[in-house]
């Protein structure tokens, strides 16, 4: 049984026994779940590693869900940890691994969060799950709500392209387009609606949901045969992944299962890099920035208000770093991951490889370092990012000569 000891404020330390209040009554910081691991022993690792459960739920005891019967699962977790010889050689990083989260049920890492978040929401008796998002989070909340038998409402700002919200609609979400800006108008209305209608908030202001990405830590440790990677590079927006991986490895460490911590790296688009900026300035908290348009649309977040400061702590405690990448670097990484590793990632999902490349060029890695790049979203989420020329789309006459010249040119064009 998962044991939730309490909710605790990470800023002022106040404990709370309320289950559906997500903010500290004293200082209004987002609370964190205190999961009781006291019953786990050194020897339990052996049995857990032998389990045939190939989802995040192998690590049920670590998640804030009280009863196994509450679990709503679409098979999330245990995504392939891929060794790509060709990409490793090209980047000159012998210990490179790709954690391929493009194959998660709705095509992005958000399923790690919502698998846990929606299971807990159902357990607490909520009837409607809500989120504001233009992409991956919306689809994921909608899918898990569908599986749980909850209704879902997705709010997006006016101007969001319909393609972005179609996946959520396909899972049955009510999609509401709201006039005004994302950071002020849409967010204010969302918060008022959550209070008014008692909806289950599925943003990173939900501490249960934020625990889901701890699964990265457990899985990587297991897949690497009880080794902790030297580096984990994560495409970063709200900072949930960095915060959660740090917490997950700390839990394994406190149980005596893991014997060191990984260096964590935030990979952000230069057009929306508040965590990189705060890290470089040595700030304790993130200063919001105006996010500019970027090819890495899924991580275009200017104000990681809930967990930005926790992500910064994780970067510093881990002796990691933060890297801002240009759109050109991000697109090159997407191309390399596709053509050398055989993984089709959306640009935001491949940005970790762009950061690995940059760090390699700066000689940051030791020769034997295990370097894991999280690949966090499927390329089909944003097909327009793939470059294809008019010439390639133009039909050829059905002759062998035309085919020969087309293919010869094509091999040239497709070279990474
Ligand atoms: C594809 C993709 N990668 C990474 C992230 C990063 O999220 P976080 O920093 O909250 O882990 C997101 C979501 O915002 C995403 O959609
Ligand atoms: Zn507090």
């Amino acid at each position: 049984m998962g044991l939730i000891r309490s909710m605790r404020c990470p800023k002022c330390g106040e404990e709370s026994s309320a289950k559906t209040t997500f903010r500290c009554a004293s200082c209004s910081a987002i609370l964190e779940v205190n999961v009781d691991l006291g019953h786990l022993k050194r020897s339990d690792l052996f049995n857990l590693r032998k389990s045939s459960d190939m989802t995040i739920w192998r690590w049920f005891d670590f998640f804030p869900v009280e009863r196994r019967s509450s679990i709503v699962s679409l098979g999330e977790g245990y995504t392939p940890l891929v060794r790509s010889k060709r990409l490793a050689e090209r980047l000159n990083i012998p210990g490179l691994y790709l954690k391929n989260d493009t194959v998660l049920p709705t095509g992005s890492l958000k399923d790690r969060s919502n698998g846990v978040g929606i299971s807990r929401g159902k357990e607490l008796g909520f009837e409607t799950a809500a989120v504001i998002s233009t992409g991956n989070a919306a689809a994921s909340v909608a899918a898990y709500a569908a599986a749980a038998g909850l209704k879902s409402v997705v709010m997006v700002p006016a101007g969001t392209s319909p393609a972005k919200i179609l996946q959520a609609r396909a899972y049955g979400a009510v999609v509401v387009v709201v006039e005004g800006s994302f950071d002020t108008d849409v967010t204010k209305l969302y918060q008022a609606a959550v209070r008014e209608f008692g909806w289950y908030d599925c943003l990173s202001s939900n501490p249960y949901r934020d625990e889901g990405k701890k699964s990265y830590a457990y899985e990587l440790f297991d897949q690497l045969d009880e080794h902790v990677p030297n580096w984990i590079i994560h495409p970063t927006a709200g900072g949930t992944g960095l915060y959660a991986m740090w917490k997950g490895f700390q839990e394994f460490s406190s149980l005596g299962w893991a014997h060191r911590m990984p260096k964590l790296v935030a990979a952000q688009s230069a057009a929306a890099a508040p965590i990189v900026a705060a890290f470089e300035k040595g700030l304790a908290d993130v200063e919001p920035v105006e996010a500019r348009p970027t090819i890495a649309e899924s991580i275009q977040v200017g104000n990681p208000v809930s967990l930005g400061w926790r992500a910064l702590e994780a970067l510093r405690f881990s002796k990691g770093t933060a890297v801002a990448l240009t759109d050109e670097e991000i697109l090159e990484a997407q191309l390399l991951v596709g053509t050398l590793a055989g993984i089709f990632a959306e640009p935001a999902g491949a940005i970790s490889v762009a950061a690995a490349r940059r760090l390699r060029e700066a000689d940051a890695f030791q020769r034997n370092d295990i370097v894991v790049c999280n690949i966090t979203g499927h390329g089909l989420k944003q097909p327009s990012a793939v470059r294809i020329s008019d010439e390639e789309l133009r039909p050829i006459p059905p002759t062998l000569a035309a085919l020969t010249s087309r293919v010869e040119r094509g091999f040239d064009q497709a070279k990474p």
Side-chain angles (χ1 to χ4, degrees):
M1 182 162 118
L3 297 171
I4 303 171
R5 200 189 285 152
S6 66
M7 303 282 261
R8 194 181 159 277
C9 175
K11 284 219 162 133
C12 73
E14 188 157 302
E15 305 256 335
S16 157
S17 55
K19 293 181 171 172
T20 56
T21 308
F22 297 163
R23 278 181 192 277
C24 172
S26 304
C27 76
S28 80
I30 305 296
L31 298 173
E32 276 175 23
V33 192
N34 201 353
V35 181
D36 192 348
L37 303 175
H39 61 294
L40 289 169
K41 298 181 296 298
R42 175 80 186 92
S43 53
D44 287 326
L45 176 62
F46 179 74
N47 293 326
L48 285 165
R49 288 201 63 215
K50 273 198 324 201
S51 160
S52 59
D53 186 344
M54 295 305 282
T55 73
I56 62 170
W57 297 104
R58 175 183 299 203
W59 307 101
F60 173 76
D61 296 272
F62 293 82
F63 293 123
V65 174
E66 284 173 72
R67 293 176 298 279
R68 280 191 182 270
S69 57
S70 307
I71 293 175
V72 181
S73 178
L74 295 169
E76 57 289 334
Y78 277 85
T79 54
L81 185 60
V82 177
R83 290 213 85 166
S84 164
K85 196 163 176 286
R86 295 187 70 208
L87 185 59
E89 272 171 13
R90 171 65 77 94
L91 299 183
N92 194 14
I93 307 174
L96 180 74
Y97 288 82
L98 305 176
K99 182 66 173 154
N100 183 9
D101 268 8
T102 70
V103 302
L104 282 170
T106 73
S108 89
L109 82 170
K110 300 284 177 183
D111 296 340
R112 295 183 182 275
S113 308
N114 293 306
V116 173
I118 297 283
S119 296
R120 180 62 173 158
K122 183 184 148 206
E123 183 166 74
L124 292 171
F126 283 97
E127 289 174 4
T128 303
V131 74
I132 17 178
S133 157
T134 58
N136 291 331
S140 180
V141 167
Y144 281 84
L150 267 58
K151 292 183 255 196
S152 62
V153 179
V154 170
M155 289 169 52
V156 300
T160 303
S161 85
K164 292 268 174 57
I165 42 186
L166 281 180
Q167 196 185 358
R169 187 70 190 78
Y171 298 125
V174 173
V175 177
V176 186
V177 183
V178 185
E179 287 169 5
S181 80
F182 194 97
D183 283 338
T184 49
D185 306 297
V186 187
T187 304
K188 268 197 198 136
L189 179 62
Y190 171 81
Q191 285 165 345
V194 164
R195 278 194 304 272
E196 176 75 17
F197 305 122
W199 290 343
Y200 185 55
D201 173 9
C202 295
L203 288 179
S204 55
S205 38
N206 175 332
Y208 303 119
R209 163 209 187 273
D210 294 338
E211 295 284 290
K213 289 184 199 165
K214 293 194 302 187
S215 54
Y216 275 125
Y218 315 146
E219 257 171 71
L220 287 170
F221 184 76
D222 190 16
Q223 290 176 314
L224 290 167
D225 272 330
E226 300 186 28
H227 286 96
V228 175
N230 299 84
W231 300 82
I232 307 175
I233 309 179
H234 188 67
T236 297
T240 332
L242 296 171
Y243 151 80
M245 286 191 289
W246 183 250
K247 191 170 181 191
F249 279 110
Q250 263 187 333
E251 289 168 343
F252 271 24
S253 173
S254 71
L255 289 164
W257 294 359
H259 297 292
R260 65 178 159 109
M261 298 294 282
K263 291 190 176 74
L264 299 176
V265 179
Q268 295 203 291
S269 161
I275 291 181
V276 179
F279 181 81
E280 285 174 353
K281 285 191 211 162
L283 303 178
D285 203 348
V286 176
E287 292 172 333
V289 301
E290 184 84 43
R292 285 178 282 116
T294 166
I295 193 72
E297 342 185 287
S298 298
I299 54 169
Q300 189 189 340
V301 170
N303 187 11
V305 66
S306 303
L307 290 176
W309 70 280
R310 290 300 258 172
L312 276 172
E313 272 187 355
L315 294 178
R316 290 211 178 95
F317 289 155
S318 78
K319 302 192 169 47
T321 188
V323 188
L325 289 312
T326 64
D327 277 12
E328 199 182 324
E329 289 175 296
I330 298 167
L331 282 170
E332 271 174 32
Q334 183 193 31
L335 190 67
L336 290 177
V337 170
T339 55
L340 296 178
I343 296 173
F344 183 24
E346 64 173 302
I351 195 175
S352 47
V353 169
R357 190 180 193 182
R358 187 80 91 65
L359 290 173
R360 172 71 197 85
E361 278 159 15
D363 253 344
F365 306 135
Q366 306 283 320
R367 201 70 200 148
N368 295 326
D369 279 358
I370 296 174
V371 179
V372 175
C373 290
N374 290 341
I375 308 291
T376 50
H378 202 289
L380 288 174
K381 296 277 196 169
Q382 194 186 335
S384 59
V386 180
R387 289 175 192 157
I388 186 160
S389 65
D390 290 346
E391 184 198 344
E392 286 169 273
L393 293 173
R394 199 174 307 125
I396 57 160
T399 67
L400 203 51
L403 179 66
T404 306
S405 94
R406 180 70 197 82
V407 168
E408 271 168 10
R409 223 173 118 49
F411 282 145
D412 260 0
Q413 283 166 326
K415 244 185 232 149

